[in-house]
Amino acid sequence: MTKTNTLILIEHDRQQVKRPSLHAVTAAQQLGGDYSLLLLGSAVGEMAKSLLGYGAASLLVADHAELAEPLADRYALVIADAFQKCGATTLLGTSSTFSKDILPRAAALLDAPMLTDVMTIEGNGNSFTRPINAGSMIATVQLGSERRVLSIRASAFAAPTGNTAVSPIEQLAVDAALLPNGMQFVSREERISDRPDLTEARVVVGGGRPLKDKETFDRLVGGLADALGGAIGATRAAVDTGLAPNDYQIGQTGKVIAPDLYIALGISGAIQHLAGIKDSRVIIAINKDPDAPIFQMATYALVGDVHQVVPELIEALRDRE
Ligand SMILES: Cc1cc2nc3c(=O)[nH]c(=O)nc-3n(C[C@H](O)[C@H](O)[C@H](O)COP(=O)(O)OP(=O)(O)OC[C@H]3O[C@@H](n4cnc5c(N)ncnc54)[C@H](O)[C@@H]3O)c2cc1C
């Protein structure tokens, strides 16, 4: 197997690679040395072809029916095995629900320290910055171990530029008899939506507690998102009160986004929510309280009632089409 310095875990939705996970390629380039990509799943041959132009020393593919679902105990074992076989010293992924489930297990199997949410790589690849305290402080951390597991914030690293060289594919043998059976896949509930993925969207509309009920949330937040071709997000208060599903949550305990435009509707601007939106290029906030903390971070502030302003905004955008 081709030797490498950094092994990058690629994330996908069984159809295509999730673009934020490719930002780890840029991080690997900053770390220096060779890097290889690792793709796990079942019948991922077509997807593998889309990963050949990123300058990797190799593309390792673990393709097996028993890996069809990302069960963390199985994936961690296969990842740790691949890591050891290719002689890597850094296992690299992108901060996401998927990597939060899997990478710590791989780190435990490798007996390696793990650092999450890395924002910058400094000091010849030995020093890292990451947010702490809901993003209100930035810590600089050095790892004293030769082996390490890192997850990066995709929004903090640029998308990789394509490379004309074609990486060789290396198939990883998967022995189903050795895979752990501690977890069983039961079912998956998926929302089929034409809207872009929250972490990849260029425009995101977020809704807060004053959206009152699910119907109003869908009509105002969903309506404005659709008028702009954007994704929907929500505060934890909106999720906890049942206005929006859990995977819409943005913030410290939700998703971290970095769209070109974030529109906050009836959102106070709690530090835990701001932790998820602060890398947005432009923030428009609509809130009826002129002293709402969100206005301190907003690029444009509109003091008004979302129930009145947002329908007018949606209508104006539709008239423009
Ligand atoms: C450990 C921890 C982790 C957390 N993680 C997260 C997280 O990941 N994400 C997150 O979002 N929160 C998180 N929270 C919760 C966070 O502290 C806030 O409670 C939450 O973000 C508030 O949501 P909100 O802005 O929707 O609601 P509120 O704080 O109730 O604010 C509603 C805002 O809407 C305005 N408003 C009211 N009516 C109208 C109207 N008609 N028109 C316009 N504006 C109106 C009000 O002026 C107010 O500013 C966390 C909390 C803790 C303790």
Side-chain angles (χ1 to χ4, degrees):
M1 183 174 293
T2 305
K3 296 294 172 198
T4 197
N5 300 96
T6 301
L7 184 63
I8 301 174
L9 177 62
I10 295 295
E11 194 172 334
H12 61 85
D13 63 3
R14 292 178 305 284
Q15 311 293 331
Q16 46 189 316
V17 168
K18 292 200 169 179
R19 282 187 298 137
S21 79
L22 289 172
H23 293 216
V25 168
T26 306
Q29 289 164 346
Q30 291 180 15
L31 285 171
D34 290 331
Y35 54 91
S36 291
L37 309 182
L38 174 60
L39 180 67
L40 289 83
S42 175
V44 290
E46 276 305 307
M47 220 181 320
K49 289 181 191 162
S50 70
L51 292 168
L52 300 181
Y54 290 102
S58 63
L59 168 61
L60 308 184
V61 180
D63 195 335
H64 196 286
E66 294 292 329
L67 298 177
E69 301 299 333
L71 296 174
D73 54 357
R74 293 184 172 193
Y75 268 45
L77 189 80
V78 176
I79 292 165
D81 184 45
F83 183 86
Q84 274 159 331
K85 283 185 176 145
C86 68
T89 49
T90 304
L91 175 60
L92 189 59
T94 304
S95 299
S96 67
T97 316
F98 170 82
S99 72
K100 277 179 192 165
D101 194 19
I102 289 164
L103 285 182
R105 293 169 196 265
L109 291 173
L110 294 167
D111 198 19
M114 176 166 175
L115 207 55
T116 58
D117 277 329
V118 169
M119 293 162 63
T120 60
I121 298 169
E122 296 167 2
N124 288 334
N126 292 321
S127 179
F128 310 91
T129 62
R130 62 186 299 271
I132 54 171
N133 223 10
S136 61
M137 291 189 263
I138 305 294
T140 302
V141 184
Q142 288 183 340
L143 294 178
S145 157
E146 198 210 345
R147 284 178 163 188
R148 60 215 180 165
V149 180
L150 307 174
S151 73
I152 56 135
R153 273 210 174 164
S155 57
F157 292 85
T161 47
N163 189 305
T164 47
V166 176
S167 307
I169 295 183
E170 295 182 30
Q171 298 290 340
L172 279 169
V174 177
D175 186 346
L178 296 180
L179 292 176
N181 270 321
M183 295 176 170
Q184 303 293 328
F185 174 73
V186 179
S187 66
R188 177 190 308 111
E189 266 180 54
E190 259 176 324
R191 226 184 333 281
I192 309 295
S193 165
D194 291 337
R195 294 186 183 116
D197 186 273
L198 181 55
T199 54
E200 297 181 30
R202 296 182 61 203
V203 176
V204 174
V205 182
R209 200 194 309 260
L211 274 306
K212 281 187 193 154
D213 53 43
K214 206 177 159 313
E215 188 276 326
T216 311
F217 189 96
D218 289 344
R219 184 166 48 82
L220 298 187
V221 185
L224 187 55
D226 289 344
L228 294 165
I232 301 181
T235 62
R236 178 158 146 183
V239 170
D240 287 350
T241 48
L243 306 182
N246 187 273
D247 58 335
Y248 283 3
Q249 187 176 317
I250 298 170
Q252 182 191 344
T253 43
K255 291 181 174 151
V256 175
I257 60 169
D260 289 341
L261 173 62
Y262 179 62
I263 306 182
L265 305 180
I267 291 177
S268 57
I271 185 173
Q272 296 91 353
H273 187 75
L274 300 183
I277 63 162
K278 67 182 172 45
D279 292 330
S280 307
R281 190 170 296 166
V282 172
I283 296 175
I284 299 176
I286 304 176
N287 195 305
K288 69 177 186 186
D289 175 5
D291 296 322
I294 187 90
F295 286 148
Q296 287 169 24
M297 188 179 265
T299 325
Y300 300 101
L302 179 51
V303 179
D305 185 331
V306 288
H307 302 287
Q308 186 199 330
V309 174
V310 180
E312 289 174 10
L313 208 51
I314 295 170
E315 208 175 306
L317 286 164
R318 287 200 183 127
D319 286 349
R320 209 187 47 162
E321 284 168 5

